[in-house]
Amino acid sequence: MPKAASRFLRRGVLPGAVSRVRPAAVPWLAPLYVSAVQLGAYATARLPDRRRTELLRAHSTNVVNLRAGRWRTLATSAVLVEQPLSLPYAAALLTVLGTAEARWGTRRAAAVFAAGHTGACLLVYAGLRGRVRTDPPDATAQAVDVGASYGFHATLGALAAAVPHRGTRTAATAGLLALGTWPVLRRTRTFTDAGHLTATALGVMRGAGIRRRAGRTGIGRADGQGPGRRTRPGPGRGHPA
């Protein structure tokens, strides 16, 4: 994760996103997922290099696998990484996924992650399918493409788009999209850079939808009211800030 992106975790994105957290919401899937990914990374790191590469390639969402109909890689690629997560990245991943789970509940947070990961993988595949050689496959067609980064970027984008305060929300989403666009404009760009930008954009769209629904139903209010309850009508009720 770029260092600049981590600033959004300390500024308005996460504080704003958790400003209406339900007191009873305790994340459990996020730490379980991050722990499983890290343990799996240490386990695969012990394999011989050739066997490890074959394992990761078999579970990658690359052109060869998806063109052959190995759609299971859309799921398995999200739980494997090329090497153990660094401590800062693992902490950022846990913070973002845990915040989303506490804010929206386990099912919705998991859906945001899954939609961002799957959507980005499929869109990248669609963009590469006609541009790479598959017989025999070139390096890009059979690249190792695994990890949690697409889901991470999607969840972070959704959290930014769901911040209640309009100014903070606009700055956060614009900043994240700008950070994602910069690597794509470089000559040394890779398809993974495009995937990160795509995942962020998908997350922003999903977060905007969550914010609109929350504004209409009153879900996740800081005053502890149940879903849909209101203490007074008030001007602008049901409209996002």
Side-chain angles (χ1 to χ4, degrees):
M1 179 183 63
K3 291 183 179 179
S6 65
R7 298 193 187 103
F8 288 95
L9 306 182
R10 299 191 298 270
R11 295 182 181 177
V13 177
L14 297 185
V18 299
S19 62
R20 299 180 182 182
V21 172
R22 298 179 189 177
V26 178
W28 62 269
L29 184 59
L32 181 63
Y33 170 73
V34 175
S35 298
V37 169
Q38 191 72 311
L39 289 174
Y42 283 119
T44 56
R46 298 174 66 88
L47 297 173
D49 289 345
R50 182 175 178 179
R51 184 178 175 188
R52 176 174 164 274
T53 300
E54 290 175 350
L55 173 67
L56 294 177
R57 185 170 287 139
H59 293 280
S60 294
T61 52
N62 54 36
V63 173
V64 169
N65 283 337
L66 293 181
R67 178 170 284 184
R70 302 184 185 107
W71 303 111
R72 69 180 185 282
T73 60
L74 292 171
T76 58
S77 61
V79 295
L80 291 171
V81 290
E82 294 186 56
Q83 58 187 3
L85 306 177
S86 66
L87 183 58
Y89 183 78
L93 181 63
L94 179 60
T95 300
V96 168
L97 300 188
T99 299
E101 188 176 357
R103 177 66 181 89
W104 303 321
T106 300
R107 289 185 180 181
R108 181 170 289 178
V112 170
F113 182 96
H117 174 80
T118 303
C121 288
L122 291 175
L123 289 172
V124 168
Y125 165 63
L128 290 176
R129 184 173 180 176
R131 302 174 60 184
V132 298
R133 187 181 70 249
T134 57
D135 188 21
D138 59 21
T140 300
Q142 58 179 342
V144 171
D145 187 18
V146 296
S149 61
Y150 288 172
F152 169 80
H153 280 79
T155 304
L156 185 57
L159 285 171
V163 170
H165 188 270
R166 179 181 296 173
T168 304
R169 181 172 67 246
T170 301
T173 53
L176 288 175
L177 290 171
L179 287 172
T181 301
W182 173 247
V184 177
L185 299 178
R186 297 180 304 178
R187 284 190 174 185
T188 56
R189 63 183 176 271
T190 66
F191 66 83
T192 303
D193 294 326
H196 290 158
L197 176 59
T198 301
T200 301
L202 291 173
V204 167
M205 290 187 289
R206 190 68 184 264
I210 291 173
R211 178 174 51 82
R212 285 193 294 268
R213 287 193 295 273
R216 289 194 297 266
T217 63
I219 293 175
R221 292 183 51 195
D223 56 12
Q225 302 279 349
R229 295 184 59 185
R230 295 167 172 77
T231 55
R232 59 184 183 278
R237 217 35 111 162
H239 296 278

